[in-house]
Amino acid sequence: MRIELTWPRSDAADRTLTVPVPDVPVASLVRPVLHHVRRAWTPAAARRVSTYAQPVVGSAASAVGAGVLVQLALPFAVRLARQAFDDATARPGRSAED
């Protein structure tokens, strides 16, 4: 794989810089991490993560230029997700469809 950078300088003979990138075995690096994340991901852990999600998602939405309605709806979406996680922890072993 390689990264190519070009720039619009008319006085430069070669306006392309090519940087070779070595191949990284991503699958073999990510697989052990995903195994531990799957084991640690419980409804209680998801509820704790959702506590911090609202400011992060709000700032990300603002940074990408989301509309006012989207930014106003985010706290409600986070609250609904948190309530779903609360229901899952209150009834361990039962799915949301029960």
Side-chain angles (χ1 to χ4, degrees):
M1 183 162 76
R2 66 179 184 215
I3 299 173
E4 291 186 352
L5 305 171
T6 60
W7 56 93
R9 274 187 44 201
S10 59
D11 60 338
D14 188 11
R15 292 180 274 174
T16 302
L17 173 67
T18 303
V19 179
V21 179
D23 290 333
V24 178
V26 175
S28 64
L29 295 174
V30 173
R31 191 171 294 124
V33 173
L34 289 178
H35 173 71
H36 291 295
V37 168
R38 269 190 241 124
R39 289 182 58 199
W41 192 256
T42 62
R47 190 178 68 242
R48 285 193 303 270
V49 168
S50 71
T51 303
Y52 302 105
Q54 184 174 348
V56 172
V57 172
S59 62
S62 176
V64 297
V68 175
L69 290 177
V70 171
Q71 293 182 17
L72 290 174
L74 285 175
F76 298 109
V78 170
R79 187 176 308 135
L80 287 173
R82 196 175 300 141
Q83 287 173 354
F85 293 137
D86 287 341
D87 289 346
T89 55
R91 298 178 296 152
R94 297 180 65 185
S95 65
E97 292 85 28
D98 290 344

